């Protein structure tokens, strides 16, 4: 399938972009990566994703697929080697549930906690929400090397941002959502995940991320304060 058209439009600091790239590399799929400026969106992005105007955008032989979790499933269905999802329908359903749970309950709470620079009460509430979500995820991981069992699977890719982005958010927000005493299984998984040969060679620079999210947190904090 090397002759096929496979393109990925993303942004350097986006965990959603990296989910897709990790899957492509694990599958051995050749692809072209196209960097998008999310703060000056190109006509190409607006044309390919006119509804949400967001990345990642995945293009396969002229067909456009949107939303990172949907793209992961598409990739797994097109390229059958190194399957990301199990065959059992119930197991697949549970994996989809936890991926959606993390995106809805953990990502936003943790991000808003980082950005709550002037609202200590709101920050504490968001930290509590994020840690409660992590407790649920910790329970799903106990006794496993990866969420997918002995190898990286769909849920590992979906939650992979926890291993690299969440520590940065903790640092930027002067918080400790990722408490190693509370979440030992997640911490162990993070080490295994980020040391995997595919993952460790495809991560954004941490120091650059810290600077980026420091700037974003200031901007969003100001916006949140004005909207009160």
């Amino acid at each position: 399938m090397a002759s096929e058209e496979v393109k990925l439009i993303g942004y350097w600091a986006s965990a959603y972009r990296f989910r897709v790239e990790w899957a492509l590399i694990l599958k051995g799929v050749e692809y072209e990566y196209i960097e998008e400026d999310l703060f000056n969106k190109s006509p190409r992005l607006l044309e390919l994703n006119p509804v949400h105007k967001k990345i990642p955008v995945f293009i396969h032989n002229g067909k456009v697929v949107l939303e990172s979790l949907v793209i992961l499933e598409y990739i797994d269905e097109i390229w059958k080697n190194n399957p990301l999802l199990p065959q059992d329908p119930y197991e697949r359903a549970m994996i989809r549930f936890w991926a959606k749970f993390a995106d809805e309950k953990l990502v936003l709470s943790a991000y808003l906690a980082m950005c709550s620079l002037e609202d200590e009460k709101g920050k504490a509430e968001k930290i509590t929400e994020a840690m409660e979500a992590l407790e649920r995820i910790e329970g799903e991981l106990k006794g496993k090397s990866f969420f997918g069992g002995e190898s990286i699977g769909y849920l590992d890719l979906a939650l992979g941002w926890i291993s690299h982005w969440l520590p940065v958010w903790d640092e930027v927000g002067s918080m400790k959502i990722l408490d190693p005493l509370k979440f030992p299984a997640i911490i162990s998984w993070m080490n295994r995940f980020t040391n995997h040969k595919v993952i460790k060679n495809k991560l954004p620079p941490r120091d650059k991320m810290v600077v980026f999210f420091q700037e974003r947190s200031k901007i969003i904090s100001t916006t949140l304060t004005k909207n009160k």
Side-chain angles (χ1 to χ4, degrees), residues 16 19 68-69 98-108 158-159 161:
Y16 302 116
R19 287 174 174 172
S68 61
L69 295 179
W98 286 111
K100 189 170 185 288
F101 172 84
D103 274 5
E104 291 180 352
K105 300 295 185 181
L106 180 55
V107 175
L108 187 58
L159 302 185
W161 67 274

Side-chain angles (χ1 to χ4, degrees), residues 139-153:
E140 286 301 303
L141 187 55
K142 283 181 178 177
K144 302 176 185 175
S145 295
F146 296 100
F147 289 99
E150 293 304 314
S151 60
I152 289 177

